[in-house]
Amino acid sequence: MIIDCMLLNALDAAGREGLRHVALFHTCYGFFDGSFRRGPFGIVPRLKGLGPRRLWGQADLALVCSDRAFDPAGGRSDDHLFWAGAVHDAKTAAVRRMPPLVLVSLSTAGFPGQRAALQNILDAVAGMDIEVVVTTGPAIDPAGFHTPANATVHRYVPHSELMPSCSAVIGHGGHATTFRALAHGIPMVIMPMSAVTDQPGIGKAVAAAGVGQVVSKASSPERIRGVLGEVLSTDGYRDAAAELGARLRATHAASVAVDRLSTLIGSGG
């Protein structure tokens, strides 16, 4: 059985039944073993006898579908942990076009303050020599925004159609969107929507890798405009993102994960 690491009851049941199972980590292990485990999402289950660390440890394997170099826990030496890499669909590096295309995509979950943050971004890009596409997801109605002439707002546009020609992405630090952008070699501005998720940690990792910057969701249009302009105009961000993208594309993480699972099955342990 392959069980998401957050499904603690299922992990507990698999262990009690003696079933061989894998705990699947869909973002950085350092987040789950850090703020997740120490916060309410970890404390409450632990009081019920469902301690996350115990349940993850009793699985036959902890499979982390994230990039080890980005993961705060990536330096650990533990045979129980295996990093397959970040799963993405990028095949080639993004090709910049003029004027530059910027994708804006915050969480589809609709966190508090998200609509105001999107409006601040739209106000920030007004008058810049760029084209901006905003996708709101199902939680935010795309109607009602004050949208400048160089921007469009949609509930949904496949990011796989936009990223191959993007020059920058403004995102919330969600693991999937972040690594899809980075795998295309696109520098980023990270605006975390929630302090209790992996988003702030991913933002810090993006900044530490030199592939983008982090801003608060309460940032003013002026602040957002300045940071975005710097990310778009600074060769260092583009070069670092291009190098990271090439490394991410060189590893087919889904195949690596399948190979490791096949080895586990074949070895009987």
Side-chain angles (χ1 to χ4, degrees), residues 122-138:
L122 288 167
D123 293 343
V125 302
M128 294 182 72
D129 187 21
I130 60 176
E131 179 185 351
V132 179
V133 176
V134 178
T135 59
T136 66

PDB file of all heavy atoms in Angstrom, residues 122-138:
ATOM      1  N   LEU A 122      -2.109  42.850  -9.232  1.00  0.00           N
ATOM      2  CA  LEU A 122      -2.620  43.503 -10.445  1.00  0.00           C
ATOM      3  C   LEU A 122      -2.302  44.997 -10.433  1.00  0.00           C
ATOM      4  O   LEU A 122      -1.916  45.564 -11.464  1.00  0.00           O
ATOM      5  CB  LEU A 122      -4.125  43.269 -10.570  1.00  0.00           C
ATOM      6  CG  LEU A 122      -4.540  41.849 -10.948  1.00  0.00           C
ATOM      7  CD1 LEU A 122      -6.035  41.648 -10.730  1.00  0.00           C
ATOM      8  CD2 LEU A 122      -4.181  41.552 -12.408  1.00  0.00           C
ATOM      9  N   ASP A 123      -2.445  45.628  -9.292  1.00  0.00           N
ATOM     10  CA  ASP A 123      -2.099  47.056  -9.201  1.00  0.00           C
ATOM     11  C   ASP A 123      -0.602  47.261  -9.405  1.00  0.00           C
ATOM     12  O   ASP A 123      -0.176  48.262 -10.009  1.00  0.00           O
ATOM     13  CB  ASP A 123      -2.507  47.603  -7.829  1.00  0.00           C
ATOM     14  CG  ASP A 123      -4.013  47.641  -7.623  1.00  0.00           C
ATOM     15  OD1 ASP A 123      -4.762  47.549  -8.630  1.00  0.00           O
ATOM     16  OD2 ASP A 123      -4.449  47.760  -6.470  1.00  0.00           O
ATOM     17  N   ALA A 124       0.200  46.310  -8.929  1.00  0.00           N
ATOM     18  CA  ALA A 124       1.652  46.429  -9.047  1.00  0.00           C
ATOM     19  C   ALA A 124       2.128  46.369 -10.489  1.00  0.00           C
ATOM     20  O   ALA A 124       3.068  47.073 -10.874  1.00  0.00           O
ATOM     21  CB  ALA A 124       2.324  45.318  -8.233  1.00  0.00           C
ATOM     22  N   VAL A 125       1.500  45.521 -11.300  1.00  0.00           N
ATOM     23  CA  VAL A 125       1.990  45.311 -12.669  1.00  0.00           C
ATOM     24  C   VAL A 125       1.426  46.329 -13.656  1.00  0.00           C
ATOM     25  O   VAL A 125       1.867  46.372 -14.818  1.00  0.00           O
ATOM     26  CB  VAL A 125       1.660  43.887 -13.158  1.00  0.00           C
ATOM     27  CG1 VAL A 125       2.273  42.851 -12.226  1.00  0.00           C
ATOM     28  CG2 VAL A 125       0.156  43.670 -13.292  1.00  0.00           C
ATOM     29  N   ALA A 126       0.477  47.145 -13.215  1.00  0.00           N
ATOM     30  CA  ALA A 126      -0.112  48.137 -14.121  1.00  0.00           C
ATOM     31  C   ALA A 126       0.972  49.067 -14.659  1.00  0.00           C
ATOM     32  O   ALA A 126       1.762  49.637 -13.906  1.00  0.00           O
ATOM     33  CB  ALA A 126      -1.175  48.947 -13.382  1.00  0.00           C
ATOM     34  N   GLY A 127       1.029  49.187 -15.962  1.00  0.00           N
ATOM     35  CA  GLY A 127       1.987  50.069 -16.602  1.00  0.00           C
ATOM     36  C   GLY A 127       3.351  49.463 -16.851  1.00  0.00           C
ATOM     37  O   GLY A 127       4.173  50.069 -17.551  1.00  0.00           O
ATOM     38  N   MET A 128       3.638  48.293 -16.296  1.00  0.00           N
ATOM     39  CA  MET A 128       4.919  47.642 -16.576  1.00  0.00           C
ATOM     40  C   MET A 128       4.897  47.081 -18.000  1.00  0.00           C
ATOM     41  O   MET A 128       3.844  46.710 -18.515  1.00  0.00           O
ATOM     42  CB  MET A 128       5.167  46.504 -15.580  1.00  0.00           C
ATOM     43  CG  MET A 128       5.355  46.938 -14.144  1.00  0.00           C
ATOM     44  SD  MET A 128       5.698  45.545 -12.999  1.00  0.00           S
ATOM     45  CE  MET A 128       7.382  45.109 -13.480  1.00  0.00           C
ATOM     46  N   ASP A 129       6.051  47.018 -18.623  1.00  0.00           N
ATOM     47  CA  ASP A 129       6.148  46.513 -19.994  1.00  0.00           C
ATOM     48  C   ASP A 129       6.211  44.987 -19.966  1.00  0.00           C
ATOM     49  O   ASP A 129       7.204  44.363 -20.353  1.00  0.00           O
ATOM     50  CB  ASP A 129       7.379  47.090 -20.692  1.00  0.00           C
ATOM     51  CG  ASP A 129       7.421  46.719 -22.180  1.00  0.00           C
ATOM     52  OD1 ASP A 129       6.349  46.395 -22.732  1.00  0.00           O
ATOM     53  OD2 ASP A 129       8.523  46.763 -22.759  1.00  0.00           O
ATOM     54  N   ILE A 130       5.137  44.379 -19.478  1.00  0.00           N
ATOM     55  CA  ILE A 130       5.030  42.933 -19.380  1.00  0.00           C
ATOM     56  C   ILE A 130       3.586  42.539 -19.681  1.00  0.00           C
ATOM     57  O   ILE A 130       2.681  43.369 -19.619  1.00  0.00           O
ATOM     58  CB  ILE A 130       5.430  42.401 -17.987  1.00  0.00           C
ATOM     59  CG1 ILE A 130       4.519  43.004 -16.901  1.00  0.00           C
ATOM     60  CG2 ILE A 130       6.895  42.666 -17.697  1.00  0.00           C
ATOM     61  CD1 ILE A 130       4.791  42.466 -15.510  1.00  0.00           C
ATOM     62  N   GLU A 131       3.391  41.261 -19.982  1.00  0.00           N
ATOM     63  CA  GLU A 131       2.049  40.693 -20.106  1.00  0.00           C
ATOM     64  C   GLU A 131       1.837  39.775 -18.912  1.00  0.00           C
ATOM     65  O   GLU A 131       2.706  38.983 -18.563  1.00  0.00           O
ATOM     66  CB  GLU A 131       1.915  39.893 -21.407  1.00  0.00           C
ATOM     67  CG  GLU A 131       0.553  39.258 -21.584  1.00  0.00           C
ATOM     68  CD  GLU A 131       0.466  38.380 -22.818  1.00  0.00           C
ATOM     69  OE1 GLU A 131       1.400  38.388 -23.642  1.00  0.00           O
ATOM     70  OE2 GLU A 131      -0.544  37.640 -22.930  1.00  0.00           O
ATOM     71  N   VAL A 132       0.690  39.897 -18.273  1.00  0.00           N
ATOM     72  CA  VAL A 132       0.418  39.158 -17.050  1.00  0.00           C
ATOM     73  C   VAL A 132      -0.840  38.316 -17.225  1.00  0.00           C
ATOM     74  O   VAL A 132      -1.863  38.811 -17.690  1.00  0.00           O
ATOM     75  CB  VAL A 132       0.241  40.108 -15.848  1.00  0.00           C
ATOM     76  CG1 VAL A 132      -0.064  39.318 -14.578  1.00  0.00           C
ATOM     77  CG2 VAL A 132       1.481  40.969 -15.663  1.00  0.00           C
ATOM     78  N   VAL A 133      -0.730  37.039 -16.848  1.00  0.00           N
ATOM     79  CA  VAL A 133      -1.889  36.151 -16.827  1.00  0.00           C
ATOM     80  C   VAL A 133      -2.076  35.685 -15.392  1.00  0.00           C
ATOM     81  O   VAL A 133      -1.165  35.116 -14.789  1.00  0.00           O
ATOM     82  CB  VAL A 133      -1.702  34.940 -17.761  1.00  0.00           C
ATOM     83  CG1 VAL A 133      -2.900  33.988 -17.631  1.00  0.00           C
ATOM     84  CG2 VAL A 133      -1.543  35.394 -19.208  1.00  0.00           C
ATOM     85  N   VAL A 134      -3.269  35.949 -14.842  1.00  0.00           N
ATOM     86  CA  VAL A 134      -3.608  35.546 -13.483  1.00  0.00           C
ATOM     87  C   VAL A 134      -4.596  34.400 -13.549  1.00  0.00           C
ATOM     88  O   VAL A 134      -5.610  34.483 -14.244  1.00  0.00           O
ATOM     89  CB  VAL A 134      -4.222  36.712 -12.689  1.00  0.00           C
ATOM     90  CG1 VAL A 134      -4.627  36.256 -11.288  1.00  0.00           C
ATOM     91  CG2 VAL A 134      -3.262  37.889 -12.614  1.00  0.00           C
ATOM     92  N   THR A 135      -4.317  33.309 -12.821  1.00  0.00           N
ATOM     93  CA  THR A 135      -5.286  32.225 -12.672  1.00  0.00           C
ATOM     94  C   THR A 135      -5.703  32.179 -11.205  1.00  0.00           C
ATOM     95  O   THR A 135      -4.854  32.138 -10.318  1.00  0.00           O
ATOM     96  CB  THR A 135      -4.709  30.868 -13.111  1.00  0.00           C
ATOM     97  OG1 THR A 135      -3.552  30.550 -12.337  1.00  0.00           O
ATOM     98  CG2 THR A 135      -4.330  30.912 -14.589  1.00  0.00           C
ATOM     99  N   THR A 136      -7.015  32.194 -10.966  1.00  0.00           N
ATOM    100  CA  THR A 136      -7.517  32.293  -9.592  1.00  0.00           C
ATOM    101  C   THR A 136      -7.852  30.949  -8.973  1.00  0.00           C
ATOM    102  O   THR A 136      -7.890  30.828  -7.754  1.00  0.00           O
ATOM    103  CB  THR A 136      -8.776  33.161  -9.541  1.00  0.00           C
ATOM    104  OG1 THR A 136      -9.833  32.510 -10.260  1.00  0.00           O
ATOM    105  CG2 THR A 136      -8.516  34.543 -10.143  1.00  0.00           C
ATOM    106  N   GLY A 137      -8.160  29.938  -9.789  1.00  0.00           N
ATOM    107  CA  GLY A 137      -8.613  28.669  -9.246  1.00  0.00           C
ATOM    108  C   GLY A 137     -10.066  28.747  -8.813  1.00  0.00           C
ATOM    109  O   GLY A 137     -10.706  29.803  -8.909  1.00  0.00           O
ATOM    110  N   PRO A 138     -10.616  27.650  -8.304  1.00  0.00           N
ATOM    111  CA  PRO A 138     -12.042  27.587  -8.006  1.00  0.00           C
ATOM    112  C   PRO A 138     -12.469  28.418  -6.805  1.00  0.00           C
ATOM    113  O   PRO A 138     -13.647  28.746  -6.666  1.00  0.00           O
ATOM    114  CB  PRO A 138     -12.271  26.095  -7.733  1.00  0.00           C
ATOM    115  CG  PRO A 138     -10.943  25.580  -7.291  1.00  0.00           C
ATOM    116  CD  PRO A 138      -9.932  26.360  -8.074  1.00  0.00           C
TER     117      PRO A 138
END
